[in-house]
């Protein structure tokens, strides 16, 4: 034992000051400036490089970030760093979405908590508070994003409340007016009583478990059409139209009953409601629903009903309403007759124009609900006085439903059936919305739809399914409601004629208004005198300022103007940006609004490529929520959670490696066990770098091909394969495949094969031995390849490796590093084609089959307590197949290293040998045997290669003699 300790100091173990432990939370910050802002400035200054533009979709400036934000920013950063390595200069300027309802509601909530009377607040007070709230949240989110170690131009970020951005947005709006795309109309829109504003489809979410009080009602016929009179001449009792609705609060606004002239209808008799008209195919279902036999009296075509009139329920008796034809009526549900309230239905509105024009009370019928979602005073003109008094001011979706259902029970209710169904909700307030007729501003999409769809055809999507998703949203829209009834936003600069109520919004009027706002800021729209905004040619009339603001999707949808203003060499026919990258929910949001505004004004898509990622769920696949206590942000991973034992601080690169490891094209999972596994993977990568650094020098040794064995040829071929595959993966945005290939390479090719096979050479051969120098030269290539492949994903680790590879002995002073970019200043060229060696791969795979068999035999020997390790055994391989024998013979010199055994023989021993034990296995005509080595263990290298009386093997004796 003493002798072996004497020789241990002569073993050439790996030596490096590169720390074993990352100490990531503290030490990653050493490299943050070098790989962040400073790197961005340096690469952008390389004017000779081609430009790659990744346009940042603005996150909303309201609250802390979550893991989805972190995933988004890391994916973008990986792409940008890869592009820098490939010789591009990257334009990546972050943005923030700063206007809109959530911020306005948040500041009103805070003011309410501070005991302020929010009803007395002026628009400018709300705007000032909202602006400050947005500013604070931008700073908060900027600091949280900065924890990710991303390469970005923070100083020149865009914010949608910036004056320059707002003016650019108004100029896009002006161009759309020039093209006749902006109109004002009174139409049904999605309206949120909880937000008191109109909403676009993209601002809705659908609650699958919404509960409604559906009712079946009888509307008494007061005038039969001639055809119906003839059909029902034998039935003299009261005939009523049976209708079904899930929104009983819309009954006061009823203006018609719609039927299909192509359906067959029947007269049935209800035990308490008398004769009812229903679709024939619905009778069986309705018998169950009404708990009534409903005997059939007669049947007739739907056209027979046209021309008939009925009295609407709860009315004051002053009006009757018509039965009309509709292409939207079917007999799939309900009764086959549809209650139509054009004030609260898109289809109802489209079929009731003539009815609205004829009804003297149409104005009252269109305004039965207030902006707050309550029944209005208009009911007094329509309903019985007692009912109108009772309903006035009640929430139509709250206590108003109960009240109106109470009155319907007394008069026309046939049945009441609670149902659970899918219903649109305001995605901000999580409250149900309604359809309501209001005057709004619309962008006409019908005239640009074909152009937009043609533009989508030119875009590359990742995943490809994004194309159909975006196309479906564009194809299904004919208009875009762009007005909102809030204070915090960009104003729609319309002037309203005080006498007629008509709006003035022309290219000339908006040009004049923009010139005023450009000088005095957008707040001036709310505080300046209206006279300043009136163009000279209209000053003889009296005007009011419109108080609507623009949909925030219009704000962010015009953010491509920040790219248009850059002076960059770019083909004018191409889109302004190379890539848009956001979550999959943005097909109906930012991707669509950007496309529509760009096509409307520029005639082309704003992006060449669109990449989308899924949502981040917890480790069990559940949506994260504070109430469930399962929320994990990137800050939790980087700095640790409240319980450091359960969620320790892993640092930035662990979160980045997680983001790169997942298949982000679908929803992804994150949780303590998942992050723990990612951390272990990073440790393996770090240990691989540390082992390589233990031997490489600051100046790489040249490859000496004449000294290469099959192992070096094979490893160089594997390097070529890894680089070739990873370049394609990066180009395809398939970062999880990069990580998979690197893990496989590190664990199998390196740790599981090459490192094990050459450790003896590195540890025990002479310092300047050709074989050892050859291995170290290959190590240099391995290090360079891994740095190139991993630096977009793990920039902190790779900069640290590059720093210590340069010969430094301790951690740096951050100030000395901020202007040095060793990793990213190296260009990632195409892989060295000379390293491709299919023959070496085929021959190595052949030998690895023998390695597998030998190791299984050695394991069997261990199990039987015949041997402790591989160096104690000799191997005998007898191959009968000529090609196998040729490969074994050709590479016999490395077989002992490859198999990690004492020796390998390819011939059957001719001498009679008495062995303590022997294990054998046959495979494809070859016989493989292992048995105890005939030699003694060398006290220095531990190989069994000494004769009786020798302490050192011949190799070790020579090395020590020549020291």
């Amino acid at each position: 034992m003493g002798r072996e300790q004497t020789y241990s100091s002569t073993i050439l173990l790996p030596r490096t000051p590169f720390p074993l432990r990352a100490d990531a939370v503290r030490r990653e910050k050493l490299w943050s400036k070098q790989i962040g802002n400073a790197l961005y400035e340096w690469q952008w200054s390389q004017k000779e490089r081609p430009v790659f533009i990744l346009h940042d979709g603005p996150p909303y400036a309201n609250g802390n970030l979550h893991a989805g934000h972190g995933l988004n920013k890391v994916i973008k950063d990986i792409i940008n760093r890869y592009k820098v390595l490939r010789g591009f200069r990257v334009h990546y300027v972050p943005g923030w979405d700063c206007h809109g309802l959530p911020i306005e509601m948040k500041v009103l909530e805070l003011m309410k908590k501070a005991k302020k009377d929010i009803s007395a607040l002026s628009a400018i007070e709300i705007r000032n508070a909202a602006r400050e709230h947005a500013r604070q949240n931008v700073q908060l989110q900027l600091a949280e994003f900065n924890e990710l170690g991303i390469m970005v131009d923070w100083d020149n970020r865009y914010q949608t409340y910036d004056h320059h951005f707002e003016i650019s947005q108004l100029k896009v709006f002006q161009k759309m007016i020039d093209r006749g795309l902006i109109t004002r109309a009174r139409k049904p829109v999605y309206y949120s009583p909880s937000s008191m504003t109109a909403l676009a489809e993209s601002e809705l979410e659908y609650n699958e478990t919404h509960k409604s009080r559906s009712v079946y009602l009888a509307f008494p016929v007061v005038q039969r059409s001639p055809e119906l009179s003839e059909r029902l001449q034998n039935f003299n009792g009261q005939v009523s139209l049976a209708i079904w609705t899930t929104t009983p609060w819309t009954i006061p606004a009823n203006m018609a009953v719609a039927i299909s002239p192509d359906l067959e209808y029947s007269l049935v008799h209800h035990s308490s409601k008398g004769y009812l008209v229903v679709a024939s195919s619905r009778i069986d279902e309705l018998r169950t629903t009404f708990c009534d036999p409903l005997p059939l009296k007669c049947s007739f075509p739907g056209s027979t009903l046209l021309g008939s009139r009925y009295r609407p329920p709860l009315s004051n008796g002053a009006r009757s309403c018509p039965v009309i034809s509709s292409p939207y009526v079917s007999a799939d549900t309900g009764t086959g007759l549809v209650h139509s309230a054009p004030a609260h239905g898109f289809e109802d509105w489209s079929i009731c124009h003539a009815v609205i024009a004829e009804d003297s009370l149409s104005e009252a019928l269109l305004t039965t609900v207030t902006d707050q979602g309550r029944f209005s005073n208009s009911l007094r003109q329509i309903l019985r006085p007692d009912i109108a008094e009772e309903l006035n001011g009640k929430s139509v979706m709250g206590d108003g439903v109960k009240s109106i259902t109470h009155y319907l029970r007394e008069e026309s209710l046939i049945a009441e059936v609670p149902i659970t169904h899918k219903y649109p909700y305001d995605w901000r307030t999580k409250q149900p919305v309604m359809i309501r007729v209001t005057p709004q501003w619309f962008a006409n999409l019908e005239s640009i739809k074909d152009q937009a769809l043609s533009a989508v055809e030119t875009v590359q999507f990742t995943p490809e399914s994004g194309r159909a998703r975006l196309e479906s949203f564009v194809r299904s829209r004919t208009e875009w409601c762009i007005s909102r009834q809030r204070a915090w936003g960009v104003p729609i600069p319309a002037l309203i004629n005080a006498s007629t109520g008509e709006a003035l919004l022309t290219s000339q009027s908006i040009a004049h208004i923009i010139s005023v706002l450009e000088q005095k800021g957008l707040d001036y729209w709310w505080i300046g005198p209206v006279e300043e905004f009136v163009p000279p040619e209209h000053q003889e009339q009296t005007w009011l300022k419109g108080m609507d603001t623009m949909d925030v999707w219009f704000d962010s949808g015009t953010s491509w103007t920040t790219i248009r203003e850059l002076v960059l060499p770019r083909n004018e026919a191409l889109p302004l940006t190379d890539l848009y990258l956001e979550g999959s929910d943005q097909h109906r949001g930012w991707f669509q609004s950007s496309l529509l505004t760009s096509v409307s004004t520029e005639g082309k898509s704003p992006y060449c490529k669109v990449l989308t990622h899924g949502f981040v769920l917890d480790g069990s696949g559940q949506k994260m929520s504070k109430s469930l206590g399962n929320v994990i942000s990137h800050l939790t991973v980087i700095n640790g959670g409240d319980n450091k034992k359960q969620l320790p601080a892993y640092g930035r690169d662990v979160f980045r490696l997680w983001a790169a490891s997942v298949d982000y094209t679908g929803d992804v999972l994150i949780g303590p066990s998942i992050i723990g596994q990612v951390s272990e993977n990073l440790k393996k990568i770090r240990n691989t770098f540390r082992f390589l650094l233990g031997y490489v020098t600051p100046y790489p040794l040249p490859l000496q091909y004449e000294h290469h064995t099959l192992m070096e040829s094979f490893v160089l071929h594997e390097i070529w394969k890894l680089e070739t595959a990873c370049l394609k993966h990066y180009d395809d945005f398939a970062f999880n495949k990069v990580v998979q290939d690197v893990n496989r390479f590190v664990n199998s090719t390196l740790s599981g094969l090459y490192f094990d096979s050459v450790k003896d050479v590195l540890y025990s051969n002479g310092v300047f031995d050709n074989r050892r120098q050859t291995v170290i030269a290959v190590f240099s290539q391995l290090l360079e390849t891994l740095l190139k492949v991993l630096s977009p994903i793990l920039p902190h680790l790779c900069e640290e490796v590059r720093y210590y590879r340069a010969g430094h002995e301790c951690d740096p002073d951050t100030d000395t590093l901020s202007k040095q970019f060793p990793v990213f200043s190296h260009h990632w060229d195409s892989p060295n084609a000379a390293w491709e060696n299919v023959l070496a791969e085929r021959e190595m795979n052949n030998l690895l089959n023998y390695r597998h068999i030998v190791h299984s035999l050695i394991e069997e020997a261990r199990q039987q307590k015949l041997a402790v390790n591989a160096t104690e055994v000799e191997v005998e391989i007898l191959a009968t197949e000529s090609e196998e024998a040729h490969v074994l013979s050709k590479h016999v010199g490395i077989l002992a290293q490859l198999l990690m055994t004492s020796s390998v023989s390819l011939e059957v021993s001719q001498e009679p040998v008495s062995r303590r034990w022997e294990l054998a296995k046959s495979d494809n005509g070859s016989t493989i045997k292992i048995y105890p080595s005939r030699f003694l263990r060398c006290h220095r290298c531990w190989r069994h290669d000494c004769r009786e009386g020798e302490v050192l093997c011949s190799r070790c004796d020579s090395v020590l003699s020549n020291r």
Side-chain angles (χ1 to χ4, degrees):
M1 191 69 176
R3 288 182 178 180
E4 291 180 1
Q5 288 178 339
T6 300
Y7 295 119
S8 63
S9 62
T10 70
I11 298 297
L12 302 175
L13 296 172
R15 298 185 182 217
T16 176
F18 182 78
L20 175 63
R21 297 186 182 280
D23 191 11
V25 176
R26 180 182 66 85
R27 296 183 63 254
E28 281 180 340
K29 293 176 182 176
L30 296 172
W31 326 100
S32 59
K33 193 179 289 186
Q34 182 183 12
I35 64 163
N37 289 29
L39 174 60
Y40 185 90
E41 291 174 8
W42 171 81
Q43 63 86 31
W44 186 244
S45 70
Q46 309 301 299
K47 303 295 185 185
E48 74 285 355
R49 294 184 172 203
V51 176
F52 173 80
I53 301 174
L54 196 167
H55 184 46
D56 191 39
Y60 200 70
N62 190 19
N64 296 95
L65 303 175
H66 53 69
H69 290 106
L71 174 69
N72 176 273
K73 280 293 192 284
V74 169
I75 293 173
K76 291 173 180 175
D77 192 56
I78 291 171
I79 294 169
N80 288 336
R81 291 182 188 277
Y82 170 68
K83 289 296 182 180
V84 171
L85 284 174
R86 294 293 280 166
F88 289 85
R89 66 179 178 130
V90 170
H91 182 274
Y92 178 62
V93 175
W96 269 272
D97 204 349
C98 300
H99 287 134
L101 185 62
I103 290 176
E104 183 171 338
M105 291 184 67
K106 185 66 177 179
V107 298
L108 290 175
E109 178 188 332
L110 293 172
M111 288 178 172
K112 194 173 182 180
K113 286 181 179 178
K115 308 299 183 185
K116 291 188 178 180
D117 181 4
I118 61 174
S119 63
L121 292 172
S122 67
I124 205 66
E125 287 175 310
I126 295 172
R127 288 177 62 81
N128 287 338
R131 184 180 294 107
E132 177 57 22
H133 180 83
R135 187 195 67 77
Q136 292 175 5
N137 278 270
V138 167
Q139 294 299 321
L140 168 70
Q141 293 183 1
L142 190 155
E144 292 182 353
F145 276 135
N146 217 14
E147 286 290 318
L148 292 165
I150 55 181
M151 180 190 73
V152 64
D153 184 1
W154 293 119
D155 294 337
N156 292 308
R157 62 186 179 272
Y158 74 88
Q159 296 150 140
T160 58
Y161 65 20
D162 291 337
H163 179 62
H164 181 72
F165 188 100
E166 292 174 329
I167 295 300
S168 295
Q169 178 178 332
L170 283 171
K171 289 179 178 178
V172 170
F173 187 63
Q174 181 183 13
K175 282 188 177 182
M176 293 178 71
I177 291 170
D178 290 345
R179 287 195 61 182
L181 298 176
I182 305 299
T183 58
R184 186 174 186 247
R186 193 182 195 190
K187 293 182 180 181
V189 295
Y190 287 112
Y191 185 87
S192 171
S194 56
S195 298
M196 289 178 54
T197 184
L199 299 178
E201 174 72 33
S202 57
E203 295 171 293
L204 304 178
E205 60 186 21
Y206 286 86
N207 183 344
E208 302 280 352
T209 60
H210 178 80
K211 291 179 172 54
S212 289
R213 185 180 297 211
S214 76
V215 293
Y216 291 83
L217 304 174
F219 288 8
V221 175
V222 295
Q223 179 182 318
R224 302 179 186 182
S225 69
E227 293 83 357
L228 186 61
S229 294
E230 183 178 347
R231 292 277 184 168
L232 304 185
Q233 58 184 324
N234 296 325
F235 304 98
N236 297 320
Q238 176 64 58
V239 174
S240 298
L241 308 175
I243 68 95
W244 173 69
T245 180
T246 60
T247 54
W249 58 268
T250 63
I251 291 297
N254 173 267
M255 297 184 74
V257 164
I259 57 93
S260 170
D262 300 323
L263 284 177
E264 181 186 74
Y265 290 83
S266 293
L267 187 72
V268 297
H269 189 269
H270 187 277
S271 56
S272 62
K273 294 298 179 183
Y275 295 114
L276 299 177
V277 176
V278 298
S280 300
S281 60
R282 299 297 300 162
I283 294 174
D284 288 341
E285 183 81 19
L286 293 173
R287 282 170 176 153
T288 302
T289 303
F290 295 170
C291 299
D292 195 285
L294 300 181
L296 175 65
K297 299 303 181 182
C298 68
S299 299
F300 43 84
S303 56
T304 304
L305 293 166
L306 298 176
S308 301
R309 299 183 74 84
Y310 64 91
R311 185 179 71 252
L314 312 182
S315 70
N316 56 17
R319 52 191 285 269
S320 66
C321 300
V323 176
I324 62 173
S325 172
S326 169
Y328 306 114
V329 174
S330 72
D332 296 335
T333 58
T335 65
L337 296 93
V338 177
H339 143 66
S340 295
H344 302 292
F346 299 118
E347 294 169 353
D348 296 0
W349 178 265
S350 68
I351 62 173
C352 286
H353 289 301
V355 176
I356 294 170
E358 293 170 3
D359 199 319
S360 61
L361 293 174
S362 60
E363 184 58 33
L365 289 159
L366 294 176
T367 56
T368 59
V369 179
T370 67
D371 292 347
Q372 293 78 20
R374 298 180 177 277
F375 283 118
S376 73
N377 276 328
S378 298
L379 297 183
R380 299 179 188 280
Q381 302 177 55
I382 306 165
L383 305 185
R384 284 172 20 206
D386 59 324
I387 299 176
E389 185 66 31
E390 173 67 21
L391 294 179
N392 186 35
K394 288 190 173 182
S395 170
V396 300
M397 292 184 173
D399 53 356
V401 174
K402 296 178 183 177
S403 295
I404 202 167
T405 306
H406 166 73
Y407 284 110
L408 288 170
R409 284 195 196 101
E410 296 178 352
E411 182 177 315
S412 55
L413 186 69
I414 306 170
E416 183 179 350
V417 182
I419 63 167
T420 299
H421 62 129
K422 182 178 178 181
Y423 194 83
Y425 273 54
D426 183 332
W427 72 276
R428 297 182 182 96
T429 63
K430 311 303 180 186
Q431 296 298 312
V433 303
M434 63 175 63
I435 298 169
R436 178 172 177 249
V437 164
T438 56
Q440 301 289 343
W441 291 96
F442 296 88
N444 175 15
L445 304 181
E446 197 63 51
S447 59
I448 64 161
K449 185 181 294 187
D450 290 343
Q451 192 178 5
L453 291 170
S454 296
V456 172
E457 291 178 4
T458 68
V459 178
Q460 177 182 323
F461 287 84
T462 303
E464 177 59 29
S465 58
R467 180 188 309 281
R469 187 168 165 81
L470 181 56
E471 283 178 342
S472 69
F473 285 122
V474 172
R475 190 174 283 112
S476 65
R477 293 182 78 178
T478 58
E479 60 189 16
W480 173 7
C481 179
I482 59 171
S483 50
R484 298 293 181 270
Q485 289 69 55
R486 307 302 301 189
W488 179 229
V490 173
I492 294 178
L495 297 169
I496 309 298
N497 190 297
S499 301
T500 66
E502 293 297 315
L504 175 66
L505 188 63
T506 64
S507 182
Q508 293 76 20
S509 71
I510 195 173
H512 174 76
I513 292 169
I514 289 175
S515 69
V516 175
L517 297 178
E518 202 160 8
Q519 291 182 15
K520 301 188 176 182
L522 265 68
D523 281 350
Y524 197 65
W525 179 254
W526 280 268
I527 60 176
V530 66
E531 291 75 18
E532 280 196 60
F533 298 103
V534 179
E537 62 270 25
H538 294 283
Q539 288 184 351
E540 293 181 358
Q541 297 164 291
T542 303
W543 298 93
L544 304 172
K545 288 177 288 185
M547 290 291 106
D548 287 346
T549 53
M550 291 190 199
D551 177 10
V552 290
W553 289 115
F554 198 96
D555 292 19
S556 59
T558 60
S559 61
W560 49 262
T561 59
T562 62
I563 306 299
R564 185 184 58 189
E565 293 158 2
L566 298 172
V567 181
L568 295 173
R570 197 168 183 89
N571 186 335
E572 288 296 319
L574 294 176
L576 288 166
T577 70
D578 292 289
L579 180 64
Y580 271 37
L581 191 170
E582 298 301 328
S584 55
D585 57 335
Q586 295 306 313
H587 290 106
R588 71 171 187 170
W590 187 57
F591 298 148
Q592 184 182 191
S593 64
S594 299
L595 174 74
L596 296 175
T597 56
S598 180
V599 168
S600 295
T601 56
E602 304 290 309
K604 60 185 179 182
S605 165
Y607 36 70
C608 294
K609 298 178 181 179
V610 167
L611 188 153
T612 52
H613 59 78
F615 295 100
V616 180
L617 311 175
D618 74 4
S620 61
Q622 282 189 304
K623 186 177 180 180
M624 293 190 198
S625 72
K626 291 180 181 178
S627 61
L628 292 175
N630 62 346
V631 175
I632 296 179
S633 77
H634 66 273
L635 297 178
T636 309
V637 176
I638 294 168
N639 299 318
D642 295 334
N643 184 342
K644 291 294 192 291
K645 287 187 177 180
Q646 186 180 13
L647 282 171
Y650 288 106
R652 299 169 178 178
D653 275 353
V654 166
F655 184 85
R656 293 177 64 94
L657 184 57
W658 166 80
S661 301
V662 297
D663 180 4
Y664 62 79
T665 58
D667 292 343
V668 300
L669 307 183
I670 190 170
S673 61
I674 294 170
I675 293 298
Q677 182 58 54
V678 172
S679 175
E680 290 302 312
N681 291 341
L682 183 56
K683 286 177 184 176
K684 291 177 184 177
I685 293 170
R686 183 179 185 84
N687 289 339
T688 299
F689 274 129
R690 192 169 189 272
F691 187 70
L692 294 171
L693 287 170
Y695 289 104
V696 300
T697 60
Y699 303 99
L701 295 174
L703 290 170
Q704 299 180 36
Y705 294 102
E706 65 274 17
H707 296 301
H708 283 192
T709 69
L710 176 62
M711 281 193 281
E712 281 68 54
S713 298
F714 173 71
V715 169
L716 289 177
H717 175 71
E718 290 293 295
I719 291 174
W720 174 85
K721 280 174 58 179
L722 178 69
E723 276 202 65
T724 301
C726 288
L727 283 169
K728 183 178 187 306
H729 296 333
Y730 274 118
D731 286 335
D732 293 341
F733 309 120
F735 313 124
N736 62 320
K737 293 182 179 180
V738 173
V739 175
Q740 290 168 10
D741 285 357
V742 168
N743 285 341
R744 192 180 303 116
F745 181 74
V746 165
N747 294 325
S748 299
T749 305
L750 298 185
S751 297
L753 175 62
Y754 191 54
F755 288 173
D756 275 350
S757 300
V758 300
K759 277 179 182 177
D760 178 64
V761 171
L762 293 168
Y763 291 178
S764 303
N765 284 20
V767 174
F768 299 108
D769 173 76
N770 283 336
R771 178 87 181 98
R772 188 173 187 274
Q773 294 290 87
T774 296
V775 172
I776 292 173
V778 171
F779 272 25
S780 292
Q781 298 301 327
L782 284 168
L783 189 71
E784 291 302 316
T785 296
L786 288 173
L787 284 173
K788 285 185 289 188
V789 171
L790 286 170
S791 57
I793 298 169
L794 305 172
H796 303 87
L797 174 60
C798 290
E799 282 296 344
E800 181 187 3
V801 170
R802 181 73 75 180
Y803 174 82
Y804 277 99
R805 197 266 164 84
H808 297 287
E809 293 293 325
C810 62
D811 282 347
D813 179 342
T814 54
D815 292 336
T816 64
L817 283 179
S818 61
K819 298 299 180 184
Q820 301 175 27
F821 316 103
V823 169
F824 292 97
S825 59
H826 286 65
H827 195 268
W828 187 355
D829 295 315
S830 298
N832 190 336
W835 295 351
E836 182 183 8
N837 194 330
V838 178
L839 177 62
E841 181 179 28
R842 185 168 65 246
E843 291 182 345
M844 178 57 79
N845 286 334
N846 192 310
L847 297 185
L848 289 177
N849 181 52
Y850 288 103
R851 188 175 192 260
H852 174 72
I853 295 170
V854 168
H855 284 189
S856 68
L857 288 171
I858 292 170
E859 182 58 31
E860 186 179 341
R862 283 198 189 98
Q863 295 294 326
Q864 298 181 31
K865 301 190 184 309
L866 300 174
V868 176
N869 58 59
T871 59
E872 297 178 15
V873 304
E874 293 184 39
V875 179
E876 182 180 286
I877 302 174
L878 181 61
T880 56
E881 203 274 318
S882 59
E883 186 176 345
E884 296 268 324
H886 170 72
V887 173
L888 288 165
S889 176
K890 180 180 177 181
H891 301 295
V892 66
I894 65 165
L895 288 180
Q897 287 180 21
L898 183 65
L899 304 181
M900 300 170 64
T901 59
S902 173
S903 63
V904 178
S905 172
L906 301 181
E907 298 177 352
V908 178
S909 175
Q910 300 301 313
E911 301 177 10
V913 178
S914 175
R915 297 169 178 150
R916 297 196 314 275
W917 57 268
E918 178 180 286
L919 297 174
K921 186 174 184 179
S922 296
D923 184 75
N924 291 330
S926 297
T927 303
I928 302 95
K929 295 181 181 179
I930 69 167
Y931 42 80
S933 175
R934 295 162 292 164
F935 303 104
L936 303 176
R937 188 173 74 173
C938 172
H939 284 211
R940 179 171 179 267
C941 69
W942 291 16
R943 278 172 51 185
H944 284 244
D945 204 15
C946 291
R947 272 63 175 175
E948 190 68 36
E950 294 179 340
V951 174
L952 299 175
C953 65
S954 58
R955 187 263 309 263
C956 289
D957 187 56
S958 173
V959 168
L960 294 183
S961 299
N962 294 316
R963 288 179 68 186

